[in-house]
Amino acid sequence: MSSNKIKTDKKADADKKADADKNVKTIKTKVLLTPEQLRIFDRLCAEADWIWNEGLKVAFQLHNRRYYDWLDKQLEKQGIDTEGIIKTPIYLSESNAFSGASCRIATCDRTWARDPDNPITYVNKAGKTCKKNGYKLLNGGNNWQRIPPEPFEPVIIAGKELTKLQNLDNVGLLNTLREAQELPKLTPKSSDWIGGIVGVQGKLTKAWKAYLDVKQKKFSKPKWRGRDIKTDSLMQSQKLKYDPEINAIGVQTFGKIQIAEKDFVKRLKGEVGNSITLIKEPSGFYACIAISESVAEKAKKPTGRIAGIDPGVKNIVVSSNDLFVKPEQTRERLERHILKHQKELSRLYEKRRQRLELPSTKGFKPESLKEKYHAKRIARLQEQMRNSISAFNHKLSTRLTRTHDELAWEDTNLQNMLQQLKDAPIDDRGNYAKNGRSAKRGLNKSLKRRSIGQLRELTKQKMEASGKRFELSPAPSSSQLCHCCGQKGDRRTQSAFYCLNEGCQLFSVEQHADLNAAKNHQSYL
């Protein structure tokens, strides 16, 4: 082996070790784009949306083929002749690609509504026979239109049959398809994103795979990119060049992008960015710059403190070290302003509906100056709300990471906690039992405001990046057992806990329920 190769291998190993000793940090700052840069951004986003939509078409067609291949085998087993059956595109439900699949033969705008004149008899969980309102079909005004049955053909582009979504990861193939649609060729930069959308590890590939997986029920059908859903962020991996004289960053394809923040150079701390993501928000454009930060420099001296964490609604975090953190109230204040603008926008939509004599306001978009004003204010307030929650969670997670060496966080299943209670009818006259459904709805709303899941993930990432220990402690019975003796106690109120074990040191002593739960989580370490 030559000496040059040995030196090259040693250099590669040293680079890998240096990369392993570094942590990636993201800096977000506002940028000012020129009119030419705005046109470039809009074109790249439009091309990314086009690639997504074409990939979604191919994924749907390939799924149709697999569905009919499976159907042919099943009918063949049953001895049913399939000759003469026209295979039309199937209609898929939003939640699952296999349940509720059907062939659409017609279109209309008829909808189902409750009909009090058509009662339905059923048996409830208690075994009692009850009645509820049935359904009736309402005509929306449009005529019933039959869809002509079109045979389902294989996916062939430029004379090449596609058998999987990854076959679309080809610049020449996509340019041929755009030429057939009388569209200009993809820009060189857009060709770099094809793999990130329809490649093996592309976003659309992963989203469609999760949609096809019947076990992952929380993933719905990937959405079509159009007027309502558009690409609003672009990522580019490159070594960034910062020009302190004009306070701008050099980015390929865009040129030099002006930064609005005057003291931005202080935030860089001499580090060079590895990638940049341009994001379009209601308040303008922002750049998220990823820089490398040494783990050795970031690591602090060990504090020797360990703690259990019990998240909640009234106190977003309760630590076993007597730390009670109140939630940030900015979101509640902003929600009141959003509700005011939403009511005014709904009033304007209803006024327009009456003027045009339409059946509903579904599909309305802001048209007048007042409607556009309220829609813009709603979007801006929602952005402020997201930024406020994100900033609060980042600061709190950083505080917990710096002041603790080990954390045991309650392993809360937020999806189960947010489930709504069902109605409990007690007779056939529309009366329902009081089962706390309204109170649970308010609790769910408060839980969503707190963004507990985001706070947990941020804390976990920062603890692991600092080389500290982060564990998830089992949640069941953590707030019902005494942390001192382990026996079940009495939780008389939401915040008061009493131990009922006479041999315990804390017998009949009032304890804070969340603090007691946090100490139970600490014992998991």
Side-chain angles (χ1 to χ4, degrees), residues 195-380:
I197 298 175
V198 295
V200 178
Q201 298 296 328
K203 289 185 177 180
L204 178 60
T205 306
K206 292 182 178 179
W208 189 260
K209 185 178 180 181
Y211 172 61
L212 296 182
D213 191 352
V214 294
K215 296 181 180 179
Q216 301 186 33
K217 297 182 180 179
K218 63 180 180 179
F219 292 99
S220 59
K221 184 169 63 175
K223 303 296 183 182
W224 184 268
R225 299 290 174 89
R227 184 179 65 174
D228 297 331
I229 303 177
K230 295 182 180 180
T231 299
D232 56 1
S233 62
L234 298 175
M235 179 180 178
Q236 187 163 328
S237 298
Q238 68 169 85
K239 288 289 185 180
L240 302 177
K241 295 181 180 179
Y242 176 68
D243 190 347
E245 295 182 359
I246 59 176
N247 195 25
I249 293 180
V251 182
Q252 295 178 1
T253 309
F254 289 91
K256 291 186 177 181
I257 297 179
Q258 186 72 32
I259 297 176
E261 186 179 351
K262 295 182 180 179
D263 298 332
F264 177 72
V265 65
K266 296 180 180 179
R267 298 177 64 188
L268 281 178
K269 297 179 181 179
E271 298 288 345
V272 180
N274 299 323
S275 67
I276 183 172
T277 303
L278 291 177
I279 304 174
K280 185 178 181 181
E281 297 280 3
S283 61
F285 284 86
Y286 291 84
C288 292
I289 302 171
I291 63 174
S292 299
E293 188 177 32
S294 175
V295 176
E297 295 177 1
K298 185 178 180 180
K300 304 294 182 181
K301 294 182 179 180
T303 61
R305 299 181 66 185
I306 64 174
I309 301 294
D310 183 70
V313 176
K314 190 174 182 180
N315 297 293
I316 191 169
V317 160
V318 177
S319 168
S320 57
N321 299 328
D322 295 338
L323 173 65
F324 292 81
V325 181
K326 295 291 183 181
E328 211 238 350
Q329 300 297 323
T330 305
R331 184 163 185 171
E332 283 81 350
R333 177 178 57 81
L334 293 175
E335 279 185 345
R336 291 194 292 270
H337 290 285
I338 292 174
L339 183 61
K340 181 183 69 174
H341 289 285
Q342 285 176 339
K343 286 182 178 180
E344 184 62 23
L345 185 61
S346 299
R347 188 187 67 81
L348 294 172
Y349 280 171
E350 180 62 24
K351 190 176 180 180
R352 197 209 310 177
R353 184 197 68 80
Q354 293 177 359
R355 186 178 70 253
L356 299 177
E357 297 181 355
L358 295 175
S360 67
T361 60
K362 185 178 181 181
F364 274 23
K365 295 292 179 181
E367 292 182 357
S368 65
L369 292 178
K370 286 186 177 180
E371 290 175 355
K372 290 180 180 179
Y373 166 75
H374 290 291
K376 187 175 181 180
R377 286 298 301 159
I378 291 171
R380 184 69 182 91

Side-chain angles (χ1 to χ4, degrees), residues 95-218:
S95 58
N96 191 275
F98 301 98
S99 64
S102 60
C103 296
R104 303 184 69 178
I105 63 173
T107 59
C108 61
D109 64 348
R110 294 184 178 183
T111 57
W112 290 97
R114 290 281 187 178
D115 184 10
D117 299 330
N118 182 25
I120 297 176
T121 305
Y122 71 100
V123 180
N124 61 10
K125 295 181 179 180
K128 296 182 179 180
T129 302
C130 303
K131 292 183 180 180
K132 63 180 180 180
N133 295 336
Y135 290 90
K136 62 180 177 181
L137 190 62
L138 300 178
N139 192 353
N142 294 340
N143 296 327
W144 184 87
Q145 297 178 355
R146 180 179 176 82
I147 298 177
E150 298 180 0
F152 188 78
E153 301 292 343
V155 184
I156 299 176
I157 300 177
K160 180 180 179 181
E161 182 179 355
L162 304 185
T163 57
K164 55 184 179 180
L165 183 60
Q166 288 75 23
N167 296 144
L168 207 61
D169 188 4
N170 188 309
V171 182
L173 195 66
L174 290 174
N175 282 331
T176 304
L177 187 59
R178 287 180 67 87
E179 185 179 354
Q181 298 177 7
E182 299 181 355
L183 295 173
K185 290 186 177 182
L186 295 172
T187 57
K189 187 57 195 171
S190 293
S191 60
D192 297 341
W193 297 329
I194 298 174
I197 298 175
V198 295
V200 178
Q201 298 296 328
K203 289 185 177 180
L204 178 60
T205 306
K206 292 182 178 179
W208 189 260
K209 185 178 180 181
Y211 172 61
L212 296 182
D213 191 352
V214 294
K215 296 181 180 179
Q216 301 186 33
K217 297 182 180 179
K218 63 180 180 179

Side-chain angles (χ1 to χ4, degrees), residues 32-62:
L32 305 174
L33 300 185
T34 63
E36 180 63 24
Q37 291 171 343
L38 283 173
R39 285 193 289 269
I40 295 174
F41 182 88
D42 292 338
R43 181 180 177 182
L44 292 177
C45 288
E47 291 180 354
D49 289 340
W50 180 86
I51 296 172
W52 176 280
N53 291 337
E54 293 301 321
L56 195 58
K57 287 181 187 176
V58 172
F60 175 69
Q61 291 174 327
L62 293 177

